[in-house]
Amino acid sequence: MYADRTTRALLTLLGVALLAGGTAGILAGADVFGHHLAGRHLTDNPIARCGGDNGVWFWPAAALTGVIAALLALRWLIAVLTPRPRAADITIATDRSAGPTALDPDALTDAVTTEINSYRGVDTSHARVYGSPTDPRLAITVRTDDDADIAAIRHRLESNALAHLRQALGRPDLPITLDITVGNHQTSRVV
């Protein structure tokens, strides 16, 4: 599971929830919701009293909820930190009477990085194929020189290297993630 979009969405929701809770706490402490609320203790509310009155089942249920949340967080962390699995040989759609044609992912990445590295202004590039043999995906990282024209390099990548790659595989809609970095600073991401 590659979790870029999921990670951004979950972190955005968590940030909004924490911002709302913090804002509500500040407003309550500043008497915006009335003087009676500003002077109360945090645990002086019906939910906290319910936890105290029903401690026999409430705290084990709260502990179970915490364990489930921790396991989900661990699964998310593993998904974010684990590299994408390497693809097996890529199946190229050809004439079925001749049989299937397979392409080694290393040969594909070598060809595309060789072409990209020949571009003026490109320092290094790295390509990685992941996904299934029938539905491959490609991630390309390009590091340019400090004085390179990023717009020109990006245009050349999209119109030449990526177009050649899609044409060679016979997949005009091949998903490619392109990260362009100037020196050590990330500047552009194209999906």
Side-chain angles (χ1 to χ4, degrees):
M1 171 171 122
Y2 186 65
D4 268 354
R5 291 184 187 141
T6 305
T7 299
R8 282 193 293 268
L10 288 175
L11 290 177
T12 300
L13 289 174
L14 178 64
V16 168
L18 291 174
L19 179 66
T23 303
I26 290 172
L27 293 176
D31 289 340
V32 172
F33 299 124
H35 180 66
H36 68 283
L37 188 59
R40 289 178 58 187
H41 293 284
L42 183 61
T43 58
D44 185 20
N45 61 57
I47 296 172
R49 283 192 294 276
C50 177
D53 294 342
N54 300 304
V56 173
W57 65 267
F58 179 79
W59 294 115
L64 180 64
T65 303
V67 168
I68 290 171
L71 290 174
L72 289 173
L74 180 64
R75 181 177 184 266
W76 169 75
L77 185 62
I78 289 170
V80 169
L81 296 178
T82 304
R84 300 175 193 164
R86 183 183 175 277
D89 288 349
I90 300 168
T91 304
I92 298 176
T94 59
D95 182 19
R96 294 195 184 267
S97 63
T101 302
L103 175 65
D104 181 31
D106 292 334
L108 178 70
T109 58
D110 288 345
V112 75
T113 56
T114 300
E115 180 176 353
I116 292 171
N117 288 338
S118 70
Y119 294 169
R120 186 170 158 251
V122 172
D123 184 29
T124 60
S125 66
H126 175 75
R128 187 161 184 278
V129 178
Y130 60 98
S132 68
T134 57
D135 185 28
R137 297 168 185 278
L138 193 68
I140 300 175
T141 304
V142 178
R143 191 174 78 201
T144 66
D145 298 330
D146 290 333
D147 59 345
D149 183 1
I150 303 302
I153 291 174
R154 179 178 169 185
H155 176 72
R156 189 164 182 199
L157 286 167
E158 291 175 352
S159 61
N160 292 335
L162 303 185
H164 296 159
L165 180 64
R166 288 180 170 126
Q167 181 182 13
L169 293 177
R171 298 173 192 266
D173 60 342
L174 177 70
I176 300 174
T177 302
L178 175 63
D179 287 318
I180 301 175
T181 305
V182 178
N184 291 329
H185 307 300
Q186 186 171 349
T187 58
S188 179
R189 183 177 180 126
V190 179
V191 178

